[in-house]
Structure formats: structure tokens, C-alpha cells
Amino acid sequence: MNDEPISLLNAGGSFTSSPELPFETDSTDVLALYNDMLMARTVDTEAIALQRQGELGLWPSMLGQEAAQIGAAHALLPRDIVFPTYREHGVAWCRGVDPVDLLGLFRGTTLGGWNPTENNFNLYTLVIGAQTLHAVGYAMGILRDGDVGTGDPDRDRAVLVFLGDGALSEGETNEAFVWAAAQHLPVVFFCQNNQWAISAPYSVQSRVSVAQRAQGYGFKGVRVDGNDVFACLAATREALAAARAGQGPTLIEALTYRRNPHTTSDDDGRYRTLAENDAWAALDPIDRLRTYLQSTGLLNDANVEDISRRGKALAEHLRSGCRALPVPGHASPFQNTYAELPDELERQMNEHLEFVEAAE
Amino acid sequence: MTTMTSRMPIAHALNLGLRHAMEADEKVMLIGEDIGQLGGVFRVTDGLQKTFGDHRVVDSPLGEAGIVGSAIGLAMAGYRPVCEIQFDGFVFPAMNQIITQLAKYRHRSEGAVTLPVVIRIPVGGGIGAIEHHSESPEAYFAHTAGLKVVSPSNPQDAYDMMKLAIRSNDPVIFLEPKRNYWLKGDVSTSTTTPSDLDRAVTVRKGTDLTLVTYGALVPVAMKAADVCQEEGRNIDVIDLRSLSPIDDKAVVASVQRTGRLVVAHEASRSVGLGAELAARVQDEAFYSLISPVIRVTGYDTPYPASRLEEEWLPGLDRILDGIDRSFTY
């Protein structure tokens, strides 16, 4: 099995078509991809700064994974639904989630942050791999709703679930693959193989590539250059189209690299080298797309200025929005634990509120 | 649906409750191992796949996390899945999904997403089974915020509580007393409102001592009360029905009249439902207590090999012994 990742936009920024993965640059809003990748990086950069300033307790950076996330997200239709891990800040951006709402979980003002039903973008999942099964269940629901394989472009929908290389070792991910395959479900598993599960390298997880694993379950596995936004977009488009058409699941492996530590609390100097990091920095997904845009004349002074202005506004929105995130009320832990507050919980809530009031 | 009353065992009452819930709401579906063609190892879902089809009665692959995890996704998509876990001891692979995901999602989404998932689990011992087939895991679930935990003890409750659990917008752990699956009783499918899902029921009125239990031990408690009656002791027997939330008002009101409390359950003693009830009763009815709260329970050991289960389980004699200890304190 040829396991070389499919690449359409190489590190030097030049586009080469591939018979394995059809993609037309003409029918793609390449500038929008570039804009969203830069906005994702802005969110990430600002969030790290906010963590350093003590405004966030923690931040899981996505630096280096912009092509994978923006490429995958641009393949989605609004009615498709996304199940993210906790690092899909770029996907959240593309789905229309206010990036300030991403900060709440890490600032300690909420356990969620947004209404998952508004943008078909579910809450972040911190327990590795757990969301793969939710995606499978949701896909079972879509199938039962009859919204798969009708051929009606306004009706068919699919599920896109994100996972990392670490999740490949979890039992629940195995169950998700088994169920998706056996039931031929409209779900696409998008694995960002960023090669490090905190300090565990991919070699600890597997002797074969992520994509190769799909074969054992009986569905298609595709391996793409995860720093190539065209390849990520094309592979996800194809997989989602197949899923919506009732052709079953696909596992996409986007081979990329997590250039920052696992989170702001991690020290990656203890388990990997700067040289490795530098080598991946040279493969930066945004740099190569910029080179491509410049070479094709799509980037000009006006839109460069425009994107820069938007980036600055977004950064300011994050800085002021973060500090303005409301601290939840004293009663909030008790609310929405159940549909109706049970008697004992009401007693505990009143006890707590009286205690807080007396202390104030 | 016409109202009818007939005599049937708990397993059939559960089946009827599922059937009527599925007739009433097309979003209700069942998912579990061997529940379709086979009808479940205890036949609780017998015939339902034939009536409702394999899209609504899903024979799942072998994976308990998958059963609960996919039920979560189905609930997010607007369905009301009822999961079957084949035996009590096999629920543990699903605990991550139950505790970290199912129980918390409503809270995390600030009420935007409700997960009306029912997880049916046959529980308890007394059937001479091999290991992992006789356990009482209720305290794990009752300790988890966001879950409701209930256990019917008779066919009428099995029918009513199944329908109520499916209608609940909170996840419900539904514990079925497996040794009494074939215990018969009258079941009315009357549409008049049955007792709320989270209310205890006094199944025998008495004045001298409060005996609280649930599930498979309710009939044993009733026998104990009969024996006590012959000795001139009137026992108030409460079937707890809901283990989370606990209807402590019913228990406290009873203890305020009787002054004595015995709690019986098959599950291990420490940090169990009995301990919780003892704590709540001393909190609310301290001056009513004539004697300490007595717990008659399984021991803090692994469930024993089945040749020993009769003496290990809190049976009639151990419950009577607990009642004696309360009276002779």
C-alpha cells in the first residue's frame, strides 16, 4: 500500500494536481481559506498571550494545524454536524462560533461555552475519543431521519468528527470504527495526526499509519499532507460527499505537527527536539498558501490590508471579550444538572446561597 | 391504546411498557446486545423488533461504551434511545460514557441539549449465576450528578416506570430486579397518572418500625413484615423506587411516626444507599429516633460464588434479625 501522504500544495507553495484526489483551484475561494487560516492563528496567538497574562488557566494551541482544520471545515455544509476534540479552534471559527466563547472553558467561566445546536458544532470533548461514539450515534439518527442518499442536495447530510492520533489507541474509537463500518454510517473521521499525544509519539500508538487502520475495519482510509489546505479540503469534500450519498464512512489522516506544547502547561522540551520543531516550521501551512496566492496574483495590497485589519479587530475582540466574560452566578452549578431541580439539590443550593450571602 | 388490566410477570410488564412507549412516540428506539431476534437474554424485548423493525430495535455490536455513546449521539439527533446492558457486571466499560458524557452534557450546554437516554440493567443476585452476573452497582450511579436512578419492584411499577423513564428529559439508569423477572402481578395500562418516577411508595402501613428497601428485596421485606405481624409488631414498609433523587421526605415522615429505621439492600454496605438514608434521617428526624438506624446489606466484598449467595444476601432471616436488633437496642 502506497502510504505517501497525498499533497497538492507543496511546501514551496506550488500546486500540482493528483489523480488520487481531484481538486480545482478555480472553483475554490482560496482567499477565504487564507483568511480563515490567519484568523485561526490570530485566535491561537491571542489566547496564548491571554494565558501568559493570567487571563486563561490553560490553552491548547493549534499552531501548525491551520491547514488541516480550515481545509476540513470548508468542506462542510451548514446542516452537517461537527464533533470536535478540544483543539478545533479553527473549525469553530469557520462554523461561526464566537472565538470569545471558546475562551470560557479555559478561563473557568463555563464548562461549555456555546449552544451546540446553533452552529451544528458540538461542545469540546476533553475525554479522548469519547466524541467518536457520539458522532456514530448522531449518524445513526441522520440515517433514520432518511437524510442520507436521497440525492437531494438540500437534504443529505453527514457527520464530521475530529480526533487526534492519541485517540486511535482508545477503546471507544475502536468501537466507533466498528459501528460506523458495520452500519455504513454517514460519518467522516478526521484525524489530525500531529504526532504527539502529550509526550507519547505516534510510534507508541501504532506500527502502521492512521489511514491504514481503516482497511481493517472495512472502510476507506486517506492519508493527506496535513499542512496542505487543498489536500485537506479535497479529501474531506470527497469523504463528506460519499457519506451524504450513503457510501459509508471514511477515515482521513491529516499528517501534521503540533508545533506548540500540548497545552500552555506542558513542557515539550522534555520529550522532543527543537530541530524537529524547526523542520516542521519550515513546512508552515500558511506560508505556503501565501506563496501560492502571491504567485497566482490573488493576493494584492488591498486584500492583504483588509485581512490584516480583520486580524487586528479579532485580536482586540478576544482581549476585551475575554476579560468581559461573566463569572457564573452562585446558583449556576445547581442549575441544569437536572431538567427539574430535585428537592435535595434545592436544599443544598439554598444552604450554599445562604452561606455565600452571609460571607459577603 | 385501550386500557386493560391483566396478570403478567415483570419481564412482560417491561416489554409492554417499551411497546406502548414506542407506539406513542416514533423517536423511541431500543439498542443493545441480542435484543432483536433473540429478544434479549431475559426476553424483555421479545417481539419488539418484529413489530417495530431493525431500525428501531437495534442489535448492537458487542460494546457497552458503543451502546451508551451512540445513544448519546442519537439523543442529540432527537431520538429517545433505551439501551439494554446485558448484565450488571458488564456496565463498567460504559461508565466513561455514562459519567463523563451522558450525566454532564445538559449542564455543560446550560440546558441547550437534553439527553433523554434510558439505560436498562438487570441487577442483583439470587439466580445462581457465575461472576459479574449478580451485582448491585446502584451506588455508583446514585453518586453521579445528572443521572436519575430507579428500580421497580413489581409488574405495575415496571410498566409505569418504564414509560415515565422514557418520557424523562434526564438520563435514567433503570435497574431491573432480575431474580424477580418472572414474578407476577396485575398490570393496568390505565392512562391515569401513575406515581411520579422519583417518589417512594409505602407498600404496607405500620406503626412500630420503618423498613425501607427497593427492587428484588421488596417482596422479602413484605414477608418480614408478615412474620413481625404475628409477633405483634407493625412494620411500615417503603419501596424506595427512586434511588436518585431519593424521596427522603417519605422515609423521614415514616420514621417520625415509628422511631425506628431498617434499610435493606443487596449492594455492599459502606457508602451505600443505607448510609445515605441513615444520614438524612438523623439530619431531619434526630429526636424521633428510638434506636440507631440498622443496615441489612450485602457485605463489602466481591459478590460471592453462587453457592454462598443465599447466606451472603440479605434474605428474610437477616432482615428479621436486623429488625430484632432495632427493637432490642
Side-chain angles (χ1 to χ4, degrees), chain A residues 110-112 115 122-124 127 130 133-134 137-138 141 144-145 172 175 179 332-333 335-339 343 347, chain B residues 27 29 55 58 60-61 63 65-66 69-70 73-74 79 96-97 101 105-108 110 112 146-147 170 248-249:
Chain A
T110 177
L111 300 173
N115 182 340
N122 276 283
L123 296 179
Y124 277 178
V127 181
L133 284 168
H134 308 164
Y138 202 99
R144 280 157 181 76
D145 292 339
E172 293 185 1
E175 288 184 41
W179 287 50
S332 68
Q335 289 156 351
N336 286 313
T337 297
Y338 292 92
D343 292 346
R347 278 196 290 270
Chain B
K27 292 292 186 183
M29 54 181 289
H55 265 228
V58 182
S60 77
S70 63
L74 278 160
Y79 287 80
N96 174 48
Q97 287 291 336
Q101 306 297 312
Y105 214 91
R106 160 186 281 281
H107 188 74
R108 293 187 62 219
E110 295 173 19
L147 300 177
D170 291 312
D248 51 24
K249 277 191 189 131

Side-chain angles (χ1 to χ4, degrees), chain B residues 2-23:
Chain B
T2 51
T3 298
M4 58 155 207
T5 302
S6 52
R7 198 167 166 75
M8 66 180 76
I10 286 178
H12 290 177
L14 292 166
N15 182 283
L16 196 62
L18 290 166
R19 179 178 290 278
H20 288 170
M22 293 183 82
E23 283 170 357

